[in-house]
Amino acid sequence: MKDYCGYEPDISALSAWRFTRRVISWDVVDSTNNRAMEMARYGEIGPGALLLSGAQTAGRGRTGHDWFSEPETGIYATLVLSPAEFRPTGALMIQGGAGQEFQPGWITLAAGVAVHRVLAALVGPDAEGALDLKWPNDVLWEGRKVCGILAESEVREGEIAFVVLGIGVNVGQTRFPDEILDRAVSLRMITGIGYSRRDVLTRLLNALDQTLSMLAGGRAREVLGEWERASSYARGRRVETRGPGGLLRGVTDGLDPGGALRLRTPDGTVHAIHGGEIFDWE
Ligand code: BTN
């Protein structure tokens, strides 16, 4: 196995970043999230480690989906984070806590905002308007996914020990397998430009450093506000979701301070959606 993915960020950039401090890369692995989980669990890596792969044999998406991970065209990256980086005073309690306390859900929204900023700049003003964020963190272009984010955490004794933030970006694909043809799109398909994966990744890590630093600096409300402005799903969108209590249908009503999506059902009740997938309610 080669330990080189072909788009490692410029090493000189590392010293400028607060949240990415070390890079480990492979030619191919099963899933960078799997590797990160395992290596962090056994203490081989800690916060600040960025795992990259040229391809994945078992790339995973949210809610049990696969993530198409062919070589040469995509970015497959996972960053290890610690709640302590956001709340230096101590460990994070999973349950409870005031709205202003660090919320793990903020990480994934901050990542979505970072990706949105970068892709908007890359695709330019003509195509930017078709970019969208679907809660919690799909980055869509004309309703098709150009980037997916999968944040997973390890919980020990009721506290989050670490978070692995997996990001997959479709950069240079010219086509996708039939099963996902109508749901996936790449930067190249959007603009016709062949982007450098190293350049896209470096921009992404820069932007991620900025939005994560906002969280760490007590500016989560700004991040959530930016997410809401970038997303057509944030307000007034008819969606449905399947939660523990069954099917919920309603109209979206912004994010709550913890990053949950507020959904107003026809009886006027406002529900906070914390996980799972939302779909358009036709
Ligand atoms: C989704 O949209 O469902 C999330 C997709 C996340 C894909 C990335 S690629 C790098 C990292 N490794 C994985 O196995 N998944 C994430």
Side-chain angles (χ1 to χ4, degrees):
M1 198 186 282
K2 282 190 290 177
D3 57 352
Y4 181 68
C5 75
Y7 57 89
E8 286 83 355
D10 189 345
I11 206 81
S12 63
L14 283 179
S15 57
W17 291 328
R18 172 173 173 181
F19 291 93
T20 306
R21 303 189 287 275
R22 172 186 177 194
V23 178
I24 299 171
S25 64
W26 297 274
D27 178 26
V28 57
V29 289
D30 55 348
S31 147
T32 52
N33 267 34
N34 289 357
R35 292 296 101 232
M37 267 289 175
E38 212 172 288
M39 292 173 80
R41 189 172 293 147
Y42 293 107
E44 293 167 33
I45 53 171
L50 175 75
L51 275 53
L52 301 173
S53 188
Q56 300 183 117
T57 54
R60 294 187 290 107
R62 294 183 71 244
T63 57
H65 291 112
D66 295 335
W67 184 256
F68 178 65
S69 306
E70 67 171 13
E72 308 292 334
T73 56
I75 289 174
Y76 315 107
T78 300
L79 180 63
V80 182
L81 298 165
S82 159
E85 296 178 285
F86 299 93
R87 210 189 60 164
T89 48
L92 166 73
M93 299 307 292
I94 305 291
Q95 297 291 336
Q100 293 313 306
E101 267 191 38
F102 172 74
Q103 303 286 316
W106 289 343
I107 290 181
T108 181
L109 296 170
V113 167
V115 174
H116 189 274
R117 283 184 187 178
V118 170
L119 298 196
L122 287 173
V123 301
D126 289 348
E128 185 192 344
L131 279 176
D132 201 1
L133 289 174
K134 182 177 173 210
W135 189 90
N137 49 21
D138 292 341
V139 187
L140 307 176
W141 186 81
E142 288 194 343
R144 291 148 77 193
K145 212 184 274 197
V146 61
C147 168
I149 297 167
L150 176 64
E152 301 177 293
S153 49
E154 170 98 340
V155 178
R156 289 185 196 139
E157 294 170 7
E159 292 174 2
I160 292 182
F162 59 84
V163 176
V164 305
L165 178 66
I167 303 182
V169 189
N170 298 330
V171 180
Q173 290 89 344
T174 49
R175 66 173 307 282
F176 287 95
D178 289 349
E179 319 84 78
I180 57 169
L181 206 52
D182 58 340
R183 285 181 284 128
V185 71
S186 71
L187 282 172
R188 181 163 180 182
M189 289 156 79
I190 296 171
T191 63
I193 297 171
Y195 297 88
S196 139
R197 284 179 297 165
R198 174 172 288 124
D199 177 52
V200 174
L201 178 67
T202 303
R203 287 169 182 253
L204 194 55
L205 294 171
N206 255 325
L208 196 56
D209 222 66
Q210 286 165 8
T211 57
L212 293 177
S213 293
M214 288 170 78
L215 296 185
R219 296 165 61 200
R221 273 176 67 170
E222 286 173 53
V223 175
L224 267 47
E226 188 172 339
W227 190 96
E228 288 182 330
R229 287 190 297 280
S231 171
S232 73
Y233 285 83
R235 287 207 159 77
R237 182 100 176 207
R238 285 161 54 90
V239 301
E240 60 182 33
T241 184
R242 202 166 281 282
L247 185 68
L248 268 184
R249 285 180 162 150
V251 177
T252 59
D253 193 16
L255 300 175
D256 78 8
L261 182 65
R262 278 195 288 246
L263 187 65
R264 190 179 297 277
T265 47
D267 66 0
T269 313
V270 177
H271 301 257
I273 311 299
H274 294 275
E277 208 167 347
I278 59 167
F279 301 94
D280 282 308
W281 170 24
E282 309 294 349

